[in-house]
Amino acid sequence: MKKPLLNKCFAALTAGFAILALTGCPSGNTTKKAVGSVTKKTVETAKGVFSGISEGIDEGRKQTTGVDGASVATTFAEMQGKVSFEILGVEDDEAQGTVIVTLGLANETDAPIRVSGLAASDQVMLLDKSGYVARVQRAPMNVTVPAMAKEKARLEFNGKAADFVTLRLLGGEVPLNARE
């Protein structure tokens, strides 16, 4: 979806350069300023369009239910009173140099809930004792938890299990010692 739009933006930028060349824009500083202005406007427009598309998709998904009747939750706050979390396991995969966190999600409602964004590295991370992060490397993008049931999600991070104390998840935090 984004590539055709990006191609259009680059086409507009190229057209702007062509117009400048064909109209005989003076050389030097004036040309540099004109090209800079066209480029700036094109990038601002493209950035706004992409941001709007992303926000529209998220809002549209939240306001409707899927074909399976699941509502969508993308933040920790949206899950309060609906989905609870439990650390089921934290283990090292020595061969890969990764930490595997098994997260339990319990749906406390009478309808399925789709927890979305678990693979987003800016939304799911482990924190060590000093607050440094290891961002999620591998995880399902969405986990649909059936009504009044539990589901497991496997999250993979770089590092060693002993180094980390907290799982930051979609704007909330779950202590790793909750597994003990």
Side-chain angles (χ1 to χ4, degrees):
M1 177 185 261
K2 289 183 180 180
K3 280 200 173 200
L5 187 56
L6 188 59
N7 289 341
K8 288 178 184 177
C9 289
F10 284 122
L13 183 60
T14 304
F17 290 139
I19 290 169
L20 287 173
L22 292 174
T23 58
C25 186
S27 61
N29 237 5
T30 306
T31 302
K32 188 185 287 186
K33 286 180 183 178
V35 170
S37 178
V38 169
T39 304
K40 178 182 172 189
K41 291 294 182 191
T42 302
V43 170
E44 286 174 355
T45 301
K47 186 176 177 182
V49 167
F50 293 142
S51 177
I53 288 171
S54 179
E55 288 173 13
I57 289 171
D58 286 345
E59 288 304 311
R61 289 183 71 205
K62 288 179 191 178
Q63 293 175 5
T64 61
T65 57
V67 294
D68 58 355
S71 60
V72 177
T74 60
T75 68
F76 200 81
E78 290 172 354
M79 293 179 264
Q80 293 298 302
K82 297 176 185 176
V83 178
S84 61
F85 302 97
E86 178 182 7
I87 303 297
L88 300 175
V90 180
E91 58 191 78
D92 289 317
D93 181 340
E94 298 287 337
Q96 300 297 319
T98 60
V99 179
I100 308 299
V101 175
T102 304
L103 179 67
L105 300 95
N107 183 349
E108 301 164 0
T109 72
D110 59 358
I113 296 178
R114 185 166 297 109
V115 178
S116 182
L118 294 176
S121 66
D122 62 335
Q123 295 294 315
V124 180
M125 57 194 80
L126 290 178
L127 283 79
D128 69 11
K129 296 171 185 97
S130 300
Y132 288 99
V133 302
R135 297 179 187 279
V136 68
Q137 298 298 308
R138 200 170 301 153
M141 182 54 80
N142 303 301
V143 173
T144 302
V145 187
M148 302 302 291
K150 297 178 180 180
E151 190 77 41
K152 293 179 183 178
R154 178 184 161 112
L155 312 174
E156 190 173 321
F157 304 84
N158 288 331
K160 294 191 178 286
D163 296 338
F164 300 104
V165 295
T166 303
L167 171 66
R168 184 169 291 163
L169 179 72
L170 305 171
E173 293 189 355
V174 181
L176 292 182
N177 64 6
R179 69 186 185 272
E180 297 171 353

